[in-house]
């Protein structure tokens, strides 16, 4: 197996120390009201790592955390990884039921949260997510609904007996004594002991589990090791030509691969700066980009469109922001795109050194060069036979950057007998470039987020008025795909689409809630010969007849 060359061992203890020694004074995270250097990130994560050790967190402990973009998220992740614990970042869009499901599925021992987020009382939110927590006393917790959860730590003031403080503020001092600050332990953790713990972390150890929608109602936990995660960040940064002078505005959530796997991971490798705001607002984002001379913009398509609309409507002058320099051609399909997924640790094809190339017409729609050291194969979706140059089939990936596996899934459930991961993407390789033609599976890709149809169907079918729900993705100019649902009422019941969606929005993240709905009588639902709903016909019906539903 080919591996990218690195000047350091690919473990988080080595990477953050290397970054601090090499790029120490460089900006790492820049926000409107603060900036954290690589040296400050190393010191803060060392201090917090010591406190986590004093609190009983150890190598392999599952540590969940939920923070918006910013320095606290970074410090929590670095501290967790440095001591060999497995970080489990959670989506800030989770509803309480979704957090409860992720905590249980992820075997989380310790949960880190802020006291408030986006104006919401996070402690009340966590109490909604964890049955019986509001009545719980001091840690360790013993809650039957979440039997492995022992601790909840809050990065600020708390009046709950079950929540202890853990300062993630990088400006809080070096914490040289490493005391636990109220966790119940009072043992000092010195540098010698801390570094002895770090020395036990290896590239093969599990580092992070990123949750994304699966094909069932359970979360899908994609597990990456220190080695595959950190090697790929360095390889991608090198391939993209990222340098210490790069200043990238990140509007891709840190809790998903586009944020932590690409933007943060690449910055650690080359010493570049990440610009971010806690909540995306075009004016604040543009102010930060202009003040900091942003050279790049990493953003989900729907936020990019929102920003472009704001610029056009407000007349905002962005000529002084390097990231908004005119592209080599306005025809997007004559510039390389990239393809990747959480399971492949982000891109396995990318523009690389051809980012500014205007493609010839016969390369229209290219998804870029194959990333070095990553193995590709195009397989017949039915036989798994390897296809040749220019033949269209399923894109399969193998190599150093591919995930260690899926959480709570056996290896044979994830990889084929030769170790290939079948992505479910339809494509071809032609002349060393990858071309992508959509998904072979039913997964919906809306506004950069994956939505498992069955998760949404189960939530809808939990309501007494819904006898059957069929959820699919239909083309949408703004989102790529819109989540759409065909609903059949239960016998002697009727469906008020607005009310039904309003209720399901209490259970699911907003991006999972259907935007278009069609209510059918039972005899109108198309079925296949095997008795299952005919999803292709349902998709066509929804595209033609579904009504846009405003549920909020």
């Amino acid at each position: 197996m080919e591996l990218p060359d690195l000047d350091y061992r690919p473990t988080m203890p080595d990477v953050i120390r290397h970054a601090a020694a090499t790029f120490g004074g460089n900006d790492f995270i820049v926000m409107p009201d603060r900036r954290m250097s690589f040296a400050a990130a190393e010191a803060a994560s060392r201090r917090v790592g010591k406190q986590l050790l004093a609190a009983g967190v150890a190598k392999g402990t599952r540590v969940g955390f939920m923070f918006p973009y910013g320095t606290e998220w970074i410090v929590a992740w670095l501290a967790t990884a440095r001591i060999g614990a497995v970080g489990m970042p959670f989506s800030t869009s989770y509803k309480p039921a979704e957090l409860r499901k992720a905590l249980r599925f992820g075997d989380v021992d310790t949960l880190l949260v802020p006291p408030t987020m986006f104006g919401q009382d996070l402690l009340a939110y966590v109490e909604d997510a964890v049955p019986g927590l509001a009545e719980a006393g001091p840690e360790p917790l013993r809650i039957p609904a979440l039997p492995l959860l022992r601790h909840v730590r809050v990065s600020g003031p708390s009046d709950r007996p079950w929540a202890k403080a853990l300062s993630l503020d990088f400006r809080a001092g070096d914490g040289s004594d490493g005391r636990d600050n109220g966790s119940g332990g009072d043992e000092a953790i010195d540098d010698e002991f801390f570094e002895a713990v770090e020395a036990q972390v290896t590239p093969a150890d599990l580092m992070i589990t990123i949750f994304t929608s699966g094909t069932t109602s359970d979360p899908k936990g994609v597990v990456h090791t220190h080695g595959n995660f950190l090697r790929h960040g360095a390889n991608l940064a090198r391939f993209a030509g990222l340098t210490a002078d790069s200043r990238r505005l990140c509007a891709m959530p840190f809790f998903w691969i586009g944020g932590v796997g690409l933007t943060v991971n690449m910055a650690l490798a080359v010493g570049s700066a990440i610009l971010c705001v806690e909540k995306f607002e075009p004016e604040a984002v543009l102010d930060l980009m202009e003040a900091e001379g942003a050279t790049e913009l990493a953003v989900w398509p729907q936020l990019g469109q929102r920003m472009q609309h704001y610029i056009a409507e407000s007349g905002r002058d962005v000529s002084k922001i390097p990231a908004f320099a005119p592209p080599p051609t306005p025809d997007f399909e004559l510039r390389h795109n990239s393809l990747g997924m959480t399971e492949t640790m982000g891109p396995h094809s990318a523009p690389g050194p051809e980012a500014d190339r205007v493609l010839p017409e016969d390369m229209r729609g290219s998804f870029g060069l194959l990333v070095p050291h990553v193995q590709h194969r195009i397989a017949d979706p039915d036989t798994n036979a390897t296809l040749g140059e220019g033949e269209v089939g399923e894109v399969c990936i193998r190599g150093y950057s591919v995930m260690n596996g899926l959480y709570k899934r056996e290896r044979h459930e994830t990889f084929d007998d030769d170790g290939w991961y079948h992505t479910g993407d339809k494509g071809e390789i032609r002349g060393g470039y990858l071309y992508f033609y959509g998904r072979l599976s039913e997964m919906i890709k809306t506004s950069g987020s994956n939505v498992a149809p069955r998760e949404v169907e189960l939530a809808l079918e939990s309501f007494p008025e819904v006898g059957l729900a069929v959820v699919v993705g239909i083309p949408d100019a703004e989102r790529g795909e819109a989540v759409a649902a065909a609903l059949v009422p239960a016998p002697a019941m009727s469906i008020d689409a607005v009310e039904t969606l309003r209720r399901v929005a209490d259970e699911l993240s907003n991006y999972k809630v259907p935007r278009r709905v069609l209510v059918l009588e039972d005899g109108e639902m198309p079925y296949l010969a095997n008795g299952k709903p005919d999803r292709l016909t349902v998709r066509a019906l929804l595209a033609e007849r579904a009504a846009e539903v405003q549920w909020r």
Side-chain angles (χ1 to χ4, degrees):
M1 181 183 295
E2 294 184 8
L3 297 175
D5 293 328
L6 299 179
D7 296 331
Y8 45 83
R9 195 174 68 142
T11 68
M12 186 56 78
D14 288 77
V15 167
I16 186 57
R17 286 201 299 268
H18 174 268
T22 309
F23 319 114
N26 288 17
D27 288 331
F28 181 14
I29 305 295
V30 179
M31 303 180 70
D33 62 345
R34 77 200 83 145
R35 63 184 65 231
M36 179 174 71
S37 68
F38 286 91
E42 192 283 328
S45 60
R46 177 181 290 260
R47 170 180 57 80
V48 174
K50 290 178 181 180
Q51 293 181 22
L52 290 173
L53 285 172
V57 174
K59 184 175 181 179
T61 300
R62 274 55 173 164
V63 178
F65 48 96
M66 177 186 282
F67 295 92
Y69 299 101
T71 56
E72 287 192 329
W73 197 104
I74 297 295
V75 171
W77 176 53
L78 294 177
T80 298
R82 290 185 72 164
I83 62 176
V86 181
M88 294 186 167
F90 295 135
S91 168
T92 56
S93 67
Y94 272 171
K95 298 296 172 63
E98 292 173 300
L99 177 60
R100 179 165 59 251
K101 188 184 296 183
L103 289 169
R104 184 171 57 244
F105 182 79
D107 307 316
V108 171
D109 171 275
T110 300
L111 175 65
L112 312 179
V113 294
T116 62
M117 186 168 64
F118 308 142
Q120 180 182 13
D121 181 347
L122 250 290
L123 302 187
Y125 163 89
V126 173
E127 288 177 335
D128 286 344
V130 181
L133 183 62
E135 294 75 42
E139 59 182 26
L141 301 172
R142 297 285 190 273
I143 295 174
L146 294 169
L148 299 184
L149 183 65
R150 293 289 176 270
H151 313 280
V152 178
R153 295 306 176 91
V154 183
S155 63
S158 165
D159 59 358
R160 267 70 161 188
W162 49 264
K164 299 297 182 182
L166 178 72
S167 174
L168 297 174
D169 189 341
F170 69 95
R171 300 161 295 193
D174 64 8
S176 58
D177 66 357
R179 293 189 184 276
D180 180 35
N181 290 352
S183 70
D186 193 35
E187 180 183 359
I189 304 294
D190 59 21
D191 280 338
E192 182 181 8
F193 183 81
F194 183 75
E195 290 167 11
V197 170
E198 286 188 308
Q200 300 307 305
V201 180
T202 75
D205 290 334
L206 306 183
M207 185 183 74
I208 190 168
T209 300
I210 298 176
F211 288 95
T212 182
S213 288
T215 55
T216 70
S217 60
D218 283 331
K220 181 171 69 171
V222 179
V223 183
H224 289 288
T225 65
H226 288 253
N228 85 278
F229 194 91
L230 296 168
R231 278 193 181 98
H232 201 48
N235 191 33
L236 289 173
R238 184 182 305 159
F239 190 57
L242 202 69
T243 71
D245 294 326
S246 301
R247 302 181 75 77
R248 174 178 288 183
L249 187 285
C250 183
M252 295 190 290
F254 287 171
F255 52 76
W256 282 337
I257 201 70
V260 66
L262 276 69
T263 310
V264 177
N265 200 5
M266 292 165 69
L268 280 170
V270 299
S272 58
I274 300 169
L275 317 178
C276 58
V277 296
E278 285 194 350
K279 188 173 183 179
F280 186 92
E281 294 294 345
E283 184 71 12
V285 168
L286 291 170
D287 285 346
L288 182 63
M289 293 181 72
E290 183 170 337
E292 298 295 330
T295 60
E296 298 182 39
L297 176 62
V299 61
W300 290 128
Q302 80 277 15
L303 291 183
Q305 290 176 353
R306 181 179 166 193
M307 183 179 290
Q308 291 297 337
H309 289 156
Y310 177 83
I311 292 170
E313 292 171 1
S314 67
R316 173 74 183 244
D317 180 8
V318 296
S319 61
K320 298 179 181 178
I321 303 176
F324 287 104
T329 173
D331 190 337
F332 181 76
E333 289 200 337
L334 290 182
R335 299 166 56 200
H336 288 301
N337 204 330
S338 65
L339 187 64
M341 59 200 319
T342 307
E343 293 88 335
T344 60
M345 226 307 288
H348 52 79
S349 76
E354 298 187 4
D356 294 326
R357 180 186 178 190
V358 179
L359 303 178
E361 190 62 37
D362 64 354
M363 291 183 65
R364 176 178 288 275
S366 163
F367 271 69
L369 293 154
L370 307 181
V371 172
H373 312 297
V374 180
Q375 300 175 47
H376 290 76
R377 182 172 76 94
I378 305 298
D380 185 300
D382 297 320
T383 67
N384 197 28
T386 300
L387 301 178
E389 172 88 2
E391 292 187 283
V392 176
E394 183 177 19
V395 179
C396 301
I397 306 296
R398 188 173 68 180
Y400 80 95
S401 63
V402 178
M403 64 179 170
N404 187 73
L406 295 176
Y407 200 72
K408 294 186 175 177
R409 302 255 191 104
E410 294 187 83
R411 185 171 180 81
H412 70 267
E413 298 178 83
T414 307
F415 302 101
D416 70 17
D417 291 347
D418 295 316
W420 292 96
Y421 179 68
H422 291 245
T423 66
D425 289 334
K426 181 181 179 181
E428 65 170 311
I429 296 173
R430 181 170 14 109
Y433 299 93
L434 183 66
Y435 294 81
F436 169 64
Y437 303 122
R439 294 286 293 165
L440 293 168
S441 69
E442 296 174 351
M443 185 71 72
I444 302 167
K445 190 81 167 182
T446 181
S447 300
S449 303
N450 289 330
V451 177
R454 190 57 187 151
E455 180 184 14
V456 183
E457 289 166 356
L458 289 172
L460 288 165
E461 290 171 356
S462 69
F463 301 140
E465 73 271 21
V466 179
L468 175 67
V470 178
V471 173
V472 299
I474 60 176
D476 183 88
E478 179 184 354
R479 301 179 180 89
E481 283 187 302
V483 182
L487 305 179
V488 177
M493 301 284 283
S494 62
I495 292 176
D496 180 330
V498 174
E499 176 62 14
T500 298
L501 295 191
R502 185 192 63 75
R503 287 160 56 205
V504 85
D506 292 333
E507 303 295 326
L508 299 176
S509 299
N510 289 345
Y511 69 87
K512 299 177 184 178
V513 178
R515 302 283 174 169
R516 300 180 194 171
V517 175
L518 178 63
V519 178
L520 299 171
E521 295 302 322
D522 186 52
E524 294 182 283
M525 176 64 73
Y527 290 93
L528 299 170
N530 61 10
K532 294 182 179 180
D534 182 348
R535 290 181 176 272
L536 287 177
T537 303
V538 169
R539 184 176 288 109
L541 285 172
L542 285 166
E544 179 183 352
R545 295 170 49 191
E548 185 84 17
V549 176
Q550 301 295 327
W551 46 267
R552 55 179 174 169

